[in-house]
Amino acid sequence: MPTPEHAPNARPAGSVLRARARWLVEVLSFVALWAAADLAVRTWHWPVPSGVVGLMALTAVLVMGWLPSRHIERGARWLLGDMLLFFIPPLMALIRHQELFGWMGVKLAIAVAAGTLFVMGGVGWVVERAIRWEDAR
């Protein structure tokens, strides 16, 4: 009976460590790119989210050929695989409550949108009043 070391698909320990280190570097490079984009957005007060700036920068680097896509493939695949964790709970709620696809869902969406607008408008009004009151002092 062959041992795991002699199995045809087994990789040497050094190869496994190198693969994991490469994966870690790829994931950390995405984090570093986002951090750099966030710093740029905060420094220059851009009205664009950091993730969008980072995505544009990464796209530019890939299109110009400065970074082959194979160098970020594993990290990107892992991050996209884990993104499903953010979408599965709402999906399960929709599957369990099919009535949300009907009139009840429309009413709920209208209530959420209206509530959001009222809260944002109310906060804006209060902030504007506070600024005027502060300027008047």
Side-chain angles (χ1 to χ4, degrees), residues 42-122:
R42 290 174 190 254
T43 301
W44 292 303
H45 307 290
W46 290 343
V48 182
S50 307
V52 173
V53 173
L55 179 64
M56 290 187 319
L58 180 61
T59 302
V61 168
L62 288 170
V63 167
M64 287 188 258
W66 293 350
L67 176 70
S69 61
R70 71 179 185 277
H71 288 297
I72 60 168
E73 187 175 342
R74 287 182 189 158
R77 187 176 295 133
W78 179 78
L79 287 170
L80 286 173
D82 281 349
M83 289 293 284
L84 289 176
L85 293 175
F86 297 112
F87 298 111
I88 289 175
L91 178 64
M92 295 310 295
L94 287 174
I95 290 172
R96 294 189 74 197
H97 300 284
Q98 298 269 330
E99 65 272 10
L100 293 176
F101 289 109
W103 183 240
M104 180 184 276
V106 171
K107 291 190 294 187
L108 183 62
I110 291 170
V112 167
T116 301
L117 288 175
F118 280 121
V119 168
M120 290 173 67

Side-chain angles (χ1 to χ4, degrees), residues 20-45:
R20 287 186 180 168
R22 182 175 172 188
W23 165 83
L24 182 62
V25 167
E26 289 177 13
V27 170
L28 290 177
S29 67
F30 283 115
V31 172
L33 178 64
W34 174 83
D38 189 53
L39 180 65
V41 166
R42 290 174 190 254
T43 301
W44 292 303
H45 307 290

